[in-house]
Amino acid sequence: MAHKKGVGSSRNGRDSQPKMLGVKRFGGQQVTAGSILVRQRGTRFRPGTNVGLGVDFTLFAKTDGIVRFDQRAGRRFVSVLPSAT
């Protein structure tokens, strides 16, 4: 009889790192230029006024202001409205 346990390779030892996706700033919040608003895969949210789209589909504020989410033609948009200060 063998006295050593069979040492096979594990089939379950992999896991990917978390990507921290999602909405980072919500409607009505004050933001500064360059703030990340949404981290996403694909265009679940589209850039509206004063919002830019990064190469990884990250939405970011181009100016200081207040975040606004709205829906047009069945698509969700994120805009930054300049604050009145």
Side-chain angles (χ1 to χ4, degrees):
M1 289 291 222
H3 292 301
K4 294 213 179 226
K5 224 170 170 147
V7 183
S9 61
S10 170
R11 293 189 299 171
N12 207 14
R14 295 169 304 280
D15 196 9
S16 62
Q17 294 299 312
K19 302 302 179 210
M20 311 303 181
L21 301 176
V23 177
K24 305 299 180 187
R25 295 288 179 262
F26 296 92
Q29 277 190 286
Q30 185 81 31
V31 293
T32 57
S35 297
I36 292 177
L37 306 176
V38 181
R39 308 260 292 145
Q40 60 186 353
R41 293 288 170 260
T43 52
R44 294 171 62 91
F45 293 93
R46 293 168 189 269
T49 310
N50 297 322
V51 174
L53 181 69
V55 292
D56 61 348
F57 299 105
T58 296
L59 298 181
F60 60 91
K62 289 185 171 181
T63 60
D64 298 353
I66 297 170
V67 179
R68 189 173 120 204
F69 287 81
D70 56 331
Q71 199 161 354
R72 288 178 262 149
R75 292 180 173 174
R76 295 186 290 185
F77 287 85
V78 183
S79 300
V80 173
L81 307 175
S83 52
T85 56

